[in-house]
Amino acid sequence: MYKLLLCWRYLRTRYIALICIVSVTLGVATMIVVNSVMAGFTHEMQSRLNGMLGDLVIDCRSMDGAPDAAAHMQTIRRTVGDDVVGMSPTVNVPALLYFDVYGANGKRQSVTRQITLVGIDKSTYADVSEFGNYLQHPKNRDQLDFQLRENGYDTIDHMAEDMSKVQPRKQMKSAGWGYRRYKSMIEKQHAAEAATKQPKAGDEKAEVNEPFDPFKAQAEANGEAQGQEFDSAKEQHTGIVLGIGICGMRLANGSDHFLALPGDDVKISFPTASMPPKAISERYTIVDFYESKMNEYDSNFVFVPIRSLQESRGLVDPTTGVGKFTSIQIKLKPGADANAIRDKLKSAFPQEFYMVSTWRDKQGPLLAAVQMETAVLNVLLFMIIAVAGFGILAIFYMIVVEKTRDIGILKSLGASGRGVMGIFLTYGFSLGLVGAGAGFVIGWLFVRYINEIADGLGRLTGQPVFDPSVYYFYKIPTIVQPFTVAWILAGAVLIAVMASILPARRAARLHPVRALRYE
Amino acid sequence: MSSSLAKTLAESARSFDSTGSEVDYEPAALRIARPSAKPASGVPVLAGPARLGCRELFKSYQKGSVGIPVLQGVHFDVSDGEFVAIIGASGSGKSTLLHLLGTLDKPDAGEVLFDGNRIDNLPATSRDLLRNRHFGMIFQAYHLLPELTAFENVLAPAYIYESTLGYWAKRKQYRQRAMELLELVGLADRAKHKPSELSGGEMQRTAIARALMLKPEVLLADEPTGNLDRSTGDQVMKTLCELNEKQNLTIIMVTHDPLIAGQADRTVQIAEGRIVG
């Protein structure tokens, strides 16, 4: 009884002990903030990684693929059909993408990018991944058909959770057929002007304005062969969906600038499946962008209809019309054990030709790195709390010395050594509770208002703390995991109690007569 | 007498066990040493039954490598209801004797007897219980707990005796008892004051009330008037005398002042670690 009472009185009268608990508080708060932010990033990243890939992916080891996706999908259904929600075959091939950029001075420059060209089946691909949700036109989000829309592309990022942070994409307002017609008109005017000026203009200018174009000859040849002129104001090439990072860039103020828009044409070179491979080129018309907010994907992947890509690459068997595929994306039922299903599929498909992996396997190194980072941070931060423990130990020693006479009094009144020890252990425990509790509140508030705090810090220092152009997030993602928080709090309290053991033992062993005489 | 002590100890042990607040209370610790069959020779035979006494006590303190003898064969008895003053110059060992009688310290040799049972060699838990329930102690420097009010200081022995739940169950009785004691020493109106807000006399009277909280058999007083002026000292002495007369409380008081000692029933003179008269 006296333990609790005295402990309570000591808590209320000895503020020095509360100061030493501040370090515990700060340690706990920091750990909660760091863990929440790391959990937030991890979650965001995982959902995006998983969003772009199916839960399971079967890849052909050869880039030229294997024939007959339908037969393969039937095998998959036979093997693990109960857990499969959807499947979609794709053809992946590394490629080069070219598009023209007009600078502010009206000069044109051709931009070349290395990309991964993905042929997708538009009817099933949205079932196996979040791909559909990442598109910028509302109708394409319902069903993508690789046709350029008249207009109506999103000017506001539809995935943003916090609308106040979103900068409107003004350029997207004009995207679509309207933009294509206008551009076609301007180009025709320029061509007409160039034709009239050509006799006067020097060779130098012509070279700058029209860099070497390997497609021109081919395009002209195609047009002539078909015997008709391609009218870019009325017609489009095969539709293509570009990652938003390929032709867009985020400025430091959070707004996006696009070098090309839906309605523009791009050219892509990729290898054929013949032996030896030859590079061929195709023209495509941008029909939409997709934005997964994973920069790695957004600046790398380009989607075209699978059939057109199969035909261009020579992946279609001329006699049967069956196309080859390079991978099959599989969507599993929620809660299905991806690893077990992967192992079953591994035995169904010869490993010499196929690779079966979960999306986690594919992103293994990245996920492992994040996990490792979190673990190391936790160890380091827990060290801080351990250091705080030594502070508690020192201050408790002082308090025991200060309270020596009181300890003598308690012993003369019949308190046992254990009882006296109990006072100081309870004291340490309650200080730990107070410190951890305060740390929890501070940490939680910090996490709750982390974006406001980051903004405030950015204004104060003039240096943005969280640069949206780096992360492709508008705000810092956070998740407070109750289990982690409980673990941190328990650890902090335990350290406080452990630090009070030594002083408490000293108090328990004090000789009553000597303690009473202590001045 | 001895059976009543054993009974009390056993009861206390049971109450500890049932609440589980004090662990490691072994039944063996309850064993009270039987009174020695052959009392040491030369023990003066007293009129009443001996309540508290000591046999050939030796005690020395270690100062560096030299042992300084403080008590050299002290031997005396206090009968039930007696008010004994131990008088001696400072350094004569009288306070050490009181600490030994109150089991705050252990003698180098000799025995301390309570109701005819040896208590100096009891395990720590039993000695804690003796100090808590059977002895009341007051000191020259009052020794109140500064964080507690006068009322809570009086209740302190009950806090220590009871577990949290046990105290909660009997809090009414304890609070009533504490209030009665404060009234007895004339401090009912000062109950809510911290020791720092009380005068020396008030603090000492609070300490007396605290010593009486659990109805002890013996009151051990170490220079109770040492820090007080004559009139407040007299008040405290009056309180002690009244307790002795009206409640038949056994009191052993240590003092260096012959005038204070004169108010006791009997005076024992101690000099250089020996009883001289």
Side-chain angles (χ1 to χ4, degrees):
Chain A
M1 168 66 202
Y2 63 106
K3 295 168 212 155
L4 295 176
L5 182 72
L6 282 172
C7 176
W8 173 238
R9 291 289 154 85
Y10 289 171
L11 265 182
R12 280 186 26 197
T13 51
R14 288 204 154 50
Y15 294 113
I16 181 126
L18 289 178
I19 289 171
C20 79
I21 218 64
V22 166
S23 42
V24 172
T25 301
L26 288 179
V28 167
T30 320
M31 278 190 82
I32 288 176
V33 171
V34 165
N35 275 295
S36 302
V37 172
M38 290 298 269
F41 266 99
T42 310
H43 176 81
E44 203 79 358
M45 215 171 67
Q46 288 196 352
S47 68
R48 276 163 202 192
L49 289 175
N50 195 15
M52 281 309 297
L53 293 170
D55 296 327
L56 271 180
V57 183
I58 298 180
D59 286 309
C60 298
R61 289 194 189 272
S62 162
M63 215 165 71
D64 296 335
D68 206 355
H72 282 79
M73 290 199 280
Q74 218 155 37
T75 313
I76 294 167
R77 276 212 191 282
R78 257 206 316 279
T79 320
V80 292
D82 294 344
D83 293 315
V84 173
V85 176
M87 286 181 280
S88 184
T90 62
V91 174
N92 298 17
V93 64
L96 289 174
L97 174 120
Y98 313 86
F99 59 95
D100 291 338
V101 178
Y102 292 90
N105 55 4
K107 285 194 177 169
R108 192 180 68 171
Q109 200 180 8
S110 188
V111 173
T112 308
R113 289 279 167 86
Q114 183 194 331
I115 53 150
T116 302
L117 188 61
V118 184
I120 57 168
D121 176 5
K122 64 185 181 187
S123 57
T124 56
Y125 193 65
D127 300 339
V128 297
S129 71
E130 296 288 314
F131 175 73
N133 290 337
Y134 296 152
L135 297 173
Q136 301 302 309
H137 196 286
K139 281 184 187 157
N140 283 348
R141 284 203 285 279
D142 289 341
Q143 178 57 55
L144 175 68
D145 66 357
F146 285 110
Q147 296 298 316
L148 184 62
R149 306 276 177 183
E150 185 60 35
N151 52 27
Y153 290 91
D154 285 350
T155 52
I156 297 287
D157 181 2
H158 72 279
M159 295 206 317
E161 296 120 6
D162 182 5
M163 287 302 166
S164 63
K165 300 260 177 176
V166 180
Q167 304 267 357
R169 294 165 171 164
K170 293 189 185 111
Q171 284 172 290
M172 292 295 271
K173 200 175 173 185
S174 55
W177 271 112
Y179 168 72
R180 189 172 174 81
R181 279 192 295 269
Y182 176 73
K183 197 185 166 198
S184 163
M185 186 185 80
I186 297 287
E187 270 173 356
K188 275 176 192 161
Q189 273 176 13
H190 273 284
E193 274 173 36
T196 53
K197 278 180 189 172
Q198 205 151 26
K200 295 174 202 167
D203 288 347
E204 195 189 6
K205 196 181 175 189
E207 257 178 58
V208 173
N209 275 350
E210 288 182 44
F212 172 70
D213 186 352
F215 304 101
K216 204 166 184 181
Q218 194 202 347
E220 278 164 7
N222 284 348
E224 269 173 50
Q226 285 159 21
Q228 62 190 57
E229 190 80 12
F230 177 80
D231 183 0
S232 62
K234 292 184 185 127
E235 296 172 72
Q236 69 162 80
H237 302 281
T238 311
I240 189 169
V241 176
L242 246 52
I244 203 160
I246 292 174
C247 59
M249 50 191 175
R250 176 151 298 172
L251 308 176
N253 66 4
S255 66
D256 294 293
H257 181 74
F258 297 104
L259 302 174
L261 285 175
D264 275 325
D265 286 349
V266 297
K267 287 162 248 171
I268 296 179
S269 297
F270 47 87
T272 62
S274 58
M275 218 18 102
K278 280 179 289 198
I280 58 156
S281 300
E282 289 282 340
R283 278 172 181 271
Y284 294 94
T285 299
I286 306 175
V287 296
D288 208 340
F289 292 141
Y290 83 89
E291 182 177 20
S292 67
K293 295 195 189 294
M294 277 300 292
N295 195 36
E296 217 183 314
Y297 293 154
D298 287 349
S299 60
N300 187 27
F301 281 94
V302 165
F303 298 91
V304 294
I306 187 169
R307 196 66 196 175
S308 90
L309 188 60
Q310 282 171 334
E311 282 165 1
S312 308
R313 290 196 63 202
L315 293 175
V316 181
D317 189 324
T319 53
T320 58
V322 171
K324 290 182 175 175
F325 68 97
T326 59
S327 61
I328 295 176
Q329 310 270 337
I330 304 169
K331 177 84 178 168
L332 299 177
K333 276 183 188 148
D337 182 358
N339 288 344
I341 296 167
R342 173 197 61 195
D343 294 339
K344 272 192 212 167
L345 286 178
K346 268 187 178 170
S347 53
F349 292 99
Q351 291 207 40
E352 292 80 8
F353 303 127
Y354 303 96
M355 245 177 340
V356 186
S357 39
T358 66
W359 68 274
R360 276 175 198 281
D361 296 338
K362 290 216 153 202
Q363 301 295 342
L366 187 60
L367 293 177
V370 171
Q371 218 154 37
M372 171 95 165
E373 230 170 281
T374 315
V376 169
L377 268 174
N378 272 324
V379 168
L380 291 181
L381 288 171
F382 214 78
M383 292 281 192
I384 292 178
I385 301 186
V387 169
F390 283 96
I392 297 175
L393 190 128
I395 287 181
F396 264 47
Y397 245 105
M398 279 173 53
I399 290 177
V400 167
V401 169
E402 189 201 337
K403 289 277 143 209
T404 298
R405 241 161 69 133
D406 291 16
I407 293 164
I409 296 168
L410 285 169
K411 287 192 168 173
S412 78
L413 292 177
S416 60
R418 272 166 197 285
V420 172
M421 193 164 160
I423 294 176
F424 289 93
L425 287 182
T426 316
Y427 193 23
F429 178 74
S430 27
L431 276 182
L433 271 188
V434 170
F440 169 67
V441 171
I442 293 174
W444 186 78
L445 284 177
F446 196 98
V447 168
R448 180 90 174 60
Y449 296 104
I450 192 160
N451 287 292
E452 286 80 352
I453 292 169
D455 288 351
L457 275 177
R459 268 199 298 279
L460 214 64
T461 57
Q463 186 92 22
V465 175
F466 184 75
D467 186 350
S469 64
V470 178
Y471 294 101
Y472 261 78
F473 301 132
Y474 289 104
K475 52 183 211 169
I476 304 169
T478 53
I479 295 175
V480 179
Q481 291 168 324
F483 180 75
T484 314
V485 169
W487 186 82
I488 292 169
L489 295 185
V493 172
L494 187 74
I495 281 185
V497 171
M498 299 235 293
S500 55
I501 285 177
L502 222 60
R505 273 168 64 111
R506 186 194 142 95
R509 286 177 181 176
L510 277 176
H511 192 280
V513 172
R514 252 166 289 172
L516 279 174
R517 288 195 177 140
Y518 182 84
E519 294 295 333
Chain B
M1 267 321 154
S2 72
S3 66
S4 89
L5 168 64
K7 209 174 133 197
T8 325
L9 283 168
E11 272 169 14
S12 323
R14 264 204 302 283
S15 83
F16 280 153
D17 284 345
S18 62
T19 54
S21 74
E22 300 280 318
V23 284
D24 195 22
Y25 196 99
E26 296 168 4
L30 284 171
R31 245 184 283 118
I32 305 293
R34 294 280 95 208
S36 42
K38 274 190 280 174
S41 59
V43 181
V45 180
L46 293 157
R51 179 58 99 168
L52 187 62
C54 55
R55 302 278 174 275
E56 303 296 336
L57 273 190
F58 286 85
K59 179 75 185 173
S60 59
Y61 283 121
Q62 216 57 37
K63 267 239 169 96
S65 57
V66 197
I68 298 171
V70 184
L71 296 179
Q72 307 181 54
V74 174
H75 195 125
F76 87 128
D77 274 306
V78 178
S79 54
D80 195 20
E82 206 178 3
F83 187 174
V84 178
I86 301 172
I87 189 166
S90 38
S92 57
K94 53 190 189 317
S95 288
T96 303
L97 176 60
L98 200 74
H99 290 150
L100 290 177
L101 290 175
T103 68
L104 279 174
D105 211 345
K106 280 189 169 189
D108 297 339
E111 294 176 355
V112 180
L113 301 175
F114 178 59
D115 285 343
N117 300 303
R118 193 171 166 191
I119 56 170
D120 59 277
N121 59 352
L122 286 178
T125 347
S126 310
R127 284 187 288 129
D128 289 339
L129 194 61
L130 272 173
R131 286 202 297 279
N132 188 226
R133 290 280 296 187
H134 303 280
F135 297 150
M137 288 188 209
I138 54 179
F139 303 91
Q140 182 175 0
Y142 327 125
H143 286 337
L144 299 177
L145 291 165
E147 271 85 12
L148 306 183
T149 63
F151 183 62
E152 288 163 339
N153 262 294
V154 173
L155 276 170
Y159 290 157
I160 291 172
Y161 179 65
E162 293 283 2
S163 68
T164 308
L165 283 178
Y167 175 79
W168 188 249
K170 287 178 238 163
R171 66 191 184 285
K172 257 193 170 160
Q173 291 142 264
Y174 281 126
R175 286 166 160 275
Q176 200 185 344
R177 164 96 179 138
M179 213 55 222
E180 282 168 12
L181 285 168
L182 278 175
E183 273 164 25
L184 181 76
V185 296
L187 286 175
D189 52 334
R190 310 287 272 162
K192 298 283 176 225
H193 291 250
K194 291 269 171 74
S196 55
E197 298 156 349
L198 299 174
S199 72
E202 286 168 335
M203 279 197 270
Q204 195 58 292
R205 280 182 281 153
T206 309
I208 294 173
R210 178 179 69 182
L212 298 175
M213 180 67 209
L214 294 182
K215 300 178 181 158
E217 282 92 344
V218 181
L219 186 68
L220 301 167
D222 188 358
E223 300 256 19
T225 60
N227 284 11
L228 302 174
D229 60 38
R230 176 61 62 193
S231 61
T232 24
D234 283 345
Q235 268 181 19
V236 168
M237 282 311 293
K238 213 180 120 209
T239 312
L240 289 181
C241 289
E242 274 175 20
L243 285 169
N244 177 244
E245 279 161 25
K246 292 186 186 160
Q247 302 187 12
N248 202 29
L249 184 69
T250 311
I251 301 178
I252 303 172
M253 178 179 71
V254 159
T255 182
H256 66 277
D257 187 343
L259 270 174
I260 298 286
Q263 298 178 43
D265 297 346
R266 178 158 70 100
T267 307
V268 176
Q269 191 127 29
I270 189 165
E272 290 178 3
R274 286 191 184 85
I275 289 180
V276 291

